[in-house]
Amino acid sequence: MKIAVLGATGYVGGRLVPHLIGHGHQVVCISRNAQRLANRSWRREVEVRAGDVADAASLEAALAGCEAAFYLVHAMGMTDDFAHADRIGARNMALAAEAAGLSRIVYLGGLGSDAPGLSPHLESRHEVGRLLASGSVPVTELRAAVIIGSGSASFEMLRHLVEVLPAMICPRWVTATRCQPIAIADVLHYLATAVGMPAAAHEVVEIGGPDVVSYRDMMNAYARCAGLRRRLILPVPVLTPRLSSHWVKLVTPLPYDLARPLVDSLVNDVVVSKARSIERRLQHQPLRLDEALQRAVQHVQDLDITTSWMDSAADRTAASPMPQDPNWAGGTVLADEREVSVDASIEDAFATVSGIGGERGWYAAQWLWQLRGALDKLIGGVGMRRGRRHPDDLQVGDAVDFFRVEVCEPPSLLRLRAEMRVPGDAWLEWQLSKSAEGVLLQQRARFHPRGVLGRLYWWVLVPVHTMIFRELIARLAITAEARSPQLDQDQPPQGQSHQGR
């Protein structure tokens, strides 16, 4: 089918587009700002048209020639009165779809009963569904609760609360309200299937995973999957959603305008009803909560597309972070980043970098590296005793003291993953590229902390790391420039340090 996707710049839409392409559909992405889609990996495989849900005429023109459309637009977090903006968009979409002759609209809304007492956020989600269905085009409204996947706002709020706080005082409804979370992979499957299901026209269909849990249960499940200790959660009756929203803003990177509606919605039970369950229409086994969480936490976010940590992850899934995700998505990654120009060939520079460790040593503050290795061995880690297999040759999987080679792509990229005992995951990476001055050497030390202890570990060692990593890149540059066939490579040369930026 030729399918329009409104909301391709969002979390679900950005993952749905390649899913639809993979199933053989022609995809038309409709966006107010086409530039926001310019860097997507699938950009050349789709048609991008300008269209704004606030402008019915532009929407009708953008939908021309399409057979169906996914409506994934949501103004939450973008305007103070998101319900008003979403109301206008839904009305315009219903009119434009009718004028364009669409055969189906598939809309992803929020799970929850139609009875009075819903939060403003869920009530707005239901209102959008009703307005879309007020036109003549058949609408399939899928309703979902918390979507589990790195980058989902609800999931990121859960992630940061659990990772930062070993103990917390929470409103009573955190332990009482029931929720049926669903993995992003299952959401994509249901969306793509619904557009071709005649029986689902003019229907509200509810989707969810197999587990019905409280928000506290989800917190405990996340801690378990992330390798954290079980969190101490004390429910009290005095914390209102407004107070809780301010607490979420303080502890997590989510903006208040986004956190407040999400917290408000947590007071409502969001469980799939038998009468509207998608299981009546479609046989599919969704992921259990633990598996969905595991998929979401197994990757570390890096928004630098060209050197993404995930380039080496063969098991990347829809739950993984993606470059287009907002800056609060993907978990916390702390970094020390430096660069310096090297007056040497890129081959000599890479040979210097890839010769690090073992008998040759770590160029800067070798005694500190040795001390760190001794402490690691003392607490049961690998220490520095492994050295390296060969002083110059390096391959993926090789041990380099208490690191392991994760990526080795001569002469441009070397990434080492730390195997010493640390409260988190750590990498040390060098990327080389040719420049007008010779070679640009970029050095990145990255750390994905586990819980509060991981964050304390990083910040306590910032002065030491600053000294070591600044001197390390400078010494690597000096060694690369002095490199020659006659140079004794067993010892790094002494000399004046370059100043890395």
Side-chain angles (χ1 to χ4, degrees), residues 330-341:
T332 300
V333 178
L334 305 170
D336 181 286
E337 302 187 0
R338 303 176 185 277
E339 63 180 41
V340 66
S341 294

Side-chain angles (χ1 to χ4, degrees), residues 20-34:
L20 295 174
I21 294 171
H23 283 73
H25 296 294
Q26 292 177 267
V27 180
V28 176
C29 295
I30 298 175
S31 175
R32 287 180 302 171
N33 184 0

